Amino acid sequence: MITYRDKARNILATKEVEIINKPNKLKSMFFFNKITVITAAFNAEKFIEKTINSVIDQSIGFSNIEYIIVNDCSTDNTEQILKKYAKNYKNICVVSLKNNTGTPGTPRNIGIELATGKYVTFLDADDWLDPKGLETLYNILEETGDDYVVGKTIKVDNNGTSIIGEFESVKERRSVSPFDIEHIFYHMGPRARMMKLSLLKEFDIGFPELKFAEDKSFFYDVLLNAKKISTTTKPIYYVNRLDDNPNSLTRVTNVIDKRKADLTVLKYLIQKKLPLEKEKVALNRIFEYDLVRTFNSQTFVKSKEKVEFFAVLDEAVEIANGLKYDFTEEFKEPLYKTAIKLFVENRRDDFVRLFEWYKQDKNKKYVIKGNIAYYEVPFLHDKNRFIEIPMFARALDSYIYGNKYCQTFEIFGRYISSVESILIRDRNSFDNEMVCNVDINGNFGYFEIDLENLSALNNSLFTFFIRYNKYQLVNIKRISSNSIVYGERKIEFYTTKANNLGLSIKNKEKSVNT
């Protein structure tokens, strides 16, 4: 049977490759490396030294690490930089390909083929590791015997830092089934993860040749074959999304090409014939999170040509028709569940208007029914008119009492019983935050903050969140500025500096032609 790693094996068996410091598999039987780090590099001269140095400087000791870097026929100075490091460090293996493969999949597969470490992890050529990252993951796998562990990934962009895939790292978990972690199949990039090399060898797991979603396919196979996994709150990996890193595939890959790649992964998963409940969980990530969520974007809303978007979703629906269950019933987000039902019913105009309304209407009407809040969609006049808001909270009163800030609020939703805390988080720095207790009584909530504790935070702008279901977050809304033009006058309702409801009425500004 042909597998994803066959091309890598063929390349290594030919003269299409040059290898410096090739790992010695016979020697590794007696003096094993604890960890193999694999990096696929293409025209990475700008960041590759920072990437490599983050591995060399690991707290576990670089002597315990085998670092395999596969240069995919770079046309800049990447190869010269790699050879310089390989000359100075015998445990840095540099593989230079004679022909560009076009995707990171095959270079990573070559790394897997050469690897001799007990555990393997992947590091992109423009990212870097936390100094204690590898030691943290290694120790967890050694303690548990698990197949896989994932920790915290921090995105770095020009606005600051934030956490990616927080469900993965919101708590310490040990030896659990992948299916015990909600959303485990979301955010399956190669970052912050370590797994047994033996797992990849036993099931011949490799990356497909896709420009996008190759890591998604790979980690589906890893998680579907892993018996037990762990998670940690510790920082492991930094993803580079700085403006001066324009070559990241997440930036340059066309959104339609991404979704077509997702269809390839979808077909791959279906042919696996997974047990029904596992198949539902695995496939829904692609149907809902990847495909339908794409339409909830300005890219789609502002697009003049929506035919390509529809073609991808049409193919997905056609694929879903061959399933043993109604795939639309597995959708979790009410907005997307309404959208896919409109699409399946061939109500394309309503489908488009739904996302236009959701993205552009800043004065959405909502109603409370029982303990649940709903958006009221103005142009739908059937069962789809009211769309549930999973969790909704709005501020009531706030005051200072002694040295405490006190806040009351209303809260509605199906998950009120799972509310855990109030999170005050810096908008631009993942580690400048504080957590405080919250009291919920029916639909009424209250929390207070000691001003002395607030003074421990660094100066910045912060957002208040209610944390529920362990990692999910909802904002506490205040009245927003609502304005309309009526006749020749502009009427605006807003929150005053004294936190009161304000009203402004003035003549409409006339446009001036220049």
Side-chain angles (χ1 to χ4, degrees):
M1 182 180 72
I2 298 175
T3 73
Y4 289 143
R5 300 217 319 256
D6 283 345
K7 181 175 179 178
R9 295 179 181 119
N10 291 336
I11 290 174
L12 290 171
T14 68
K15 296 182 179 180
E16 298 177 37
V17 61
E18 175 191 357
I19 303 177
I20 302 174
N21 298 336
K22 183 176 182 179
N24 188 323
K25 295 194 176 186
L26 182 62
K27 182 179 178 182
S28 70
M29 295 173 62
F30 303 98
F31 304 99
F32 78 95
N33 295 296
K34 292 179 177 179
I35 302 163
T36 297
V37 180
I38 297 172
T39 292
F42 175 71
N43 287 354
E45 65 177 6
K46 188 164 189 175
F47 297 103
I48 191 65
E49 291 191 78
K50 181 172 184 176
T51 302
I52 296 172
N53 289 335
S54 78
V55 179
I56 293 172
D57 296 336
Q58 284 296 296
S59 61
I60 197 171
F62 191 46
S63 61
N64 294 306
I65 299 170
E66 170 185 79
Y67 192 11
I68 301 174
I69 310 172
V70 183
N71 175 31
D72 199 6
C73 201
S74 295
T75 57
D76 63 2
N77 291 320
T78 298
E79 184 170 4
Q80 288 71 30
I81 295 171
L82 297 183
K83 286 183 176 180
K84 177 188 71 175
Y85 276 95
K87 181 178 180 181
N88 294 328
Y89 298 93
K90 295 305 179 185
N91 51 339
I92 293 182
C93 167
V94 172
V95 180
S96 297
L97 302 183
K98 301 293 180 64
N99 298 294
N100 179 260
T101 65
T103 80
T106 296
R108 290 180 187 150
N109 290 338
I110 289 172
I112 295 172
E113 289 300 313
L114 293 173
T116 65
K118 184 176 182 180
Y119 305 110
V120 63
T121 189
F122 300 93
L123 175 62
D124 282 354
D126 50 358
D127 300 337
W128 59 93
L129 296 170
D130 184 88
K132 296 182 179 179
L134 296 186
E135 183 176 18
T136 297
L137 299 182
Y138 175 83
N139 286 341
I140 292 172
L141 291 181
E142 285 291 285
E143 291 165 6
T144 62
D146 290 345
D147 294 315
Y148 168 99
V149 61
V150 59
K152 183 171 292 179
T153 297
I154 297 110
K155 180 176 73 172
V156 181
D157 61 26
N158 286 71
N159 294 319
T161 58
S162 57
I163 301 170
I164 292 179
E166 194 163 4
F167 66 91
E168 295 173 322
S169 59
V170 74
K171 64 181 293 188
E172 298 289 337
R173 305 179 182 95
R174 297 293 183 269
S175 301
V176 300
S177 166
F179 289 90
D180 288 339
I181 303 175
E182 190 175 9
H183 297 145
I184 189 62
F185 294 113
Y186 291 31
H187 296 287
M188 290 197 294
R191 74 290 175 293
R193 309 164 192 277
M194 187 178 288
M195 63 226 72
K196 288 180 177 177
L197 179 61
S198 60
L199 179 76
L200 307 185
K201 300 287 188 180
E202 178 181 356
F203 296 99
D204 208 9
I205 297 172
F207 291 87
E209 287 191 271
L210 295 172
K211 285 190 175 181
F212 190 82
E214 82 294 334
D215 44 12
K216 193 179 303 180
S217 175
F218 178 86
F219 284 104
Y220 264 120
D221 278 339
V222 170
L223 290 169
L224 289 171
N225 287 292
K227 295 181 177 64
K228 296 293 181 181
I229 69 173
S230 291
T231 71
T232 180
T233 62
K234 301 293 193 303
I236 304 296
Y237 193 109
Y238 291 82
V239 170
N240 182 352
R241 293 293 181 266
L242 297 168
D243 289 346
D244 60 353
N245 182 24
N247 294 322
S248 169
L249 275 177
T250 58
R251 294 179 185 270
V252 302
T253 306
N254 178 279
V255 65
I256 298 298
D257 291 338
K258 291 180 181 181
R259 301 294 77 89
K260 288 179 179 178
D262 288 327
L263 292 177
T264 300
V265 178
L266 184 65
K267 296 171 186 175
Y268 174 69
L269 289 172
I270 289 174
Q271 60 88 26
K272 285 180 169 294
K273 300 189 183 300
L274 299 169
L276 186 59
E277 291 308 309
K278 289 186 176 183
E279 181 181 79
K280 288 180 178 180
V281 173
L283 298 191
N284 186 64
R285 178 255 151 92
I286 298 178
F287 282 127
E288 181 174 5
Y289 185 76
D290 292 322
L291 297 175
V292 175
R293 190 174 67 110
T294 295
F295 294 86
N296 186 21
S297 66
Q298 295 294 354
T299 302
F300 170 72
V301 168
K302 294 181 178 180
S303 172
K304 301 298 183 183
E305 292 292 334
K306 295 182 168 58
V307 175
E308 284 186 304
F309 287 89
F310 287 148
V312 172
L313 194 52
D314 274 326
E315 184 174 350
V317 171
E318 184 178 350
I319 292 170
N321 288 336
L323 300 175
K324 297 178 181 179
Y325 61 94
D326 181 356
F327 80 109
T328 67
E329 293 301 322
E330 300 305 310
F331 278 47
K332 303 296 187 288
E333 173 61 47
L335 173 69
Y336 300 151
K337 192 163 189 173
T338 297
I340 192 60
K341 287 184 179 295
L342 292 174
F343 192 88
V344 170
E345 293 170 7
N346 204 31
R347 296 167 61 179
R348 302 294 169 90
D349 290 342
D350 284 340
F351 178 88
V352 173
R353 289 182 68 190
L354 179 65
F355 287 113
E356 289 176 340
W357 161 81
Y358 191 78
K359 297 302 291 184
Q360 297 175 346
D361 189 344
K362 299 185 182 304
N363 300 318
K364 297 182 186 67
K365 180 181 178 182
Y366 59 85
V367 298
I368 306 297
K369 295 182 180 181
N371 292 322
I372 308 295
Y374 299 84
Y375 287 122
E376 185 174 352
V377 186
F379 56 87
L380 294 179
H381 303 286
D382 56 9
K383 61 184 179 180
N384 298 305
R385 184 174 182 82
F386 296 98
I387 297 179
E388 182 179 334
I389 306 173
M391 286 287 278
F392 178 79
R394 57 190 177 190
L396 293 175
D397 192 18
S398 61
Y399 52 92
I400 302 294
Y401 182 75
N403 67 336
K404 296 181 184 298
Y405 169 85
C406 306
Q407 177 72 58
T408 60
F409 59 91
E410 288 183 301
I411 184 167
F412 305 92
R414 297 185 182 277
Y415 308 106
I416 293 177
S417 62
S418 72
V419 170
E420 296 180 354
S421 59
I422 298 295
L423 173 64
I424 305 170
R425 173 168 283 175
D426 190 326
R427 297 179 187 178
N428 299 312
S429 182
F430 81 98
D431 55 355
N432 188 30
E433 65 180 31
M434 67 175 290
V435 176
C436 59
N437 295 328
V438 60
D439 293 322
I440 304 291
N441 185 7
N443 298 112
F444 182 82
Y446 169 84
F447 65 90
E448 59 185 31
I449 306 169
D450 191 309
L451 299 181
E452 184 69 25
N453 292 336
L454 276 181
S455 66
L457 295 173
N458 297 328
N459 293 346
S460 190
L461 295 175
F462 297 82
T463 301
F464 283 86
F465 295 102
I466 299 172
R467 174 172 271 164
Y468 67 99
N469 281 350
K470 298 183 174 59
Y471 79 92
Q472 291 180 289
L473 305 174
V474 62
N475 293 105
I476 303 174
K477 295 188 178 298
R478 289 190 181 275
I479 182 171
S480 59
S481 176
N482 295 327
S483 63
I484 59 172
V485 174
Y486 189 78
E488 295 299 316
R489 306 178 81 187
K490 181 178 180 181
I491 302 171
E492 182 175 16
F493 300 86
Y494 65 97
T495 301
T496 69
K497 291 182 179 179
N499 203 31
N500 299 316
L501 177 61
L503 170 64
S504 168
I505 303 176
K506 57 186 178 182
N507 290 335
K508 180 178 69 173
E509 294 180 4
K510 295 183 179 180
S511 60
V512 178
N513 294 324
T514 58

